[in-house]
Amino acid sequence: KTRLFVDMDGTVAEFKPVDTLERLYEKNYFMNLKPNQNVIDAIKLFKQLNPDVEVHILSAVLTDSKYALAEKNAWLDKHMPWLDDQNRIFVPCGSDKGAAIRGGITEKDYLLDDYTINLNSWDPPAKGIKLYNSINGTKGTWKKNRISHLRAPGDIAKCIKMIMDGELIQDVPPQIQYQDIKA
């Protein structure tokens, strides 16, 4: 069975940079992350159009935080209530996301994530899809499939399906698009 795993922070939730790591441990940090509505709507549409593909959230969590896990689940309940609890997988921050998948990852698995390190540990055997947000993509290290969060939800859903069908999608980071327009 084909499976799509979707990261939270920086993907469906806009990552909020912090000045100190302690801020990540504060009450309501994760609960108050702004939803990346284009991506949320795209994942919902993708799930509706592709009922044969299992869709999961796969997110790192600060295991020593008294708020992180509960707030991430509450955030998902609020912004993605159509995604069942059994389709949510949380791994300790800094660990290999692929190692958390029961039975391991296969060539039929896809990870939509904004963080290249996660994608590198996933691809191969599975396939990674980089989601460009407004803060990543500055080093150009990910050379495989890339989708901009600025695309319309239907375009994002269509691109994910095209990638699963073997096509290569290589958007450029939004910062570069903006620089090109300014130039």
Side-chain angles (χ1 to χ4, degrees):
K1 185 156 184 126
T2 301
R3 300 180 293 185
L4 173 65
F5 296 89
V6 181
D7 174 52
M8 274 187 78
D9 307 311
T11 304
V12 294
E14 291 185 15
F15 182 75
K16 181 172 59 176
V18 294
D19 52 354
T20 65
L21 287 178
E22 286 76 25
R23 295 225 188 262
L24 297 175
Y25 290 85
E26 291 176 358
K27 184 176 172 83
N28 292 322
Y29 172 82
F30 291 102
M31 188 62 207
N32 289 333
L33 290 177
K34 183 179 173 188
N36 188 344
Q37 202 61 51
N38 273 5
V39 179
I40 291 170
D41 292 346
I43 300 305
K44 183 176 184 179
L45 180 61
F46 176 86
K47 188 175 180 335
Q48 291 168 348
L49 295 174
N50 301 280
D52 55 321
V53 177
E54 288 182 15
V55 177
H56 302 268
I57 286 292
L58 178 59
S59 183
V61 67
L62 299 166
T63 54
D64 57 343
S65 167
K66 54 184 169 178
Y67 306 112
L69 181 60
E71 287 187 13
K72 283 190 172 205
N73 270 308
W75 191 96
L76 288 167
D77 289 343
K78 179 178 180 180
H79 299 287
M80 300 176 77
W82 41 266
L83 191 68
D84 298 331
D85 288 352
Q86 66 265 21
N87 290 65
R88 301 174 186 182
I89 303 166
F90 296 99
V91 301
C93 194
S95 66
D96 177 5
K97 287 184 170 183
I101 307 304
R102 192 171 302 158
I105 57 175
T106 72
E107 65 281 347
K108 293 175 109 181
D109 293 327
Y110 295 81
L111 174 65
L112 179 66
D113 202 313
D114 65 310
Y115 194 41
T116 299
I117 290 174
N118 291 338
L119 296 167
N120 282 333
S121 69
W122 193 269
D123 187 338
K127 294 166 191 69
I129 304 169
K130 176 122 178 154
L131 181 81
Y132 281 140
N133 55 35
S134 59
I135 60 173
N136 69 352
T138 58
K139 297 178 186 161
T141 55
W142 184 255
K143 303 295 183 195
K144 298 177 185 180
N145 286 294
R146 312 181 292 262
I147 302 173
S148 172
H149 78 291
L150 295 177
R151 283 181 176 261
D155 285 347
I156 294 171
K158 182 179 174 184
C159 285
I160 294 169
K161 180 64 170 132
M162 290 168 65
I163 290 167
M164 289 181 171
D165 290 341
E167 294 191 43
L168 180 65
I169 306 291
Q170 295 195 311
D171 285 351
V172 296
Q175 307 88 302
I176 292 173
Q177 290 173 336
Y178 179 70
Q179 289 171 0
D180 289 345
I181 291 169
K182 280 180 30 182

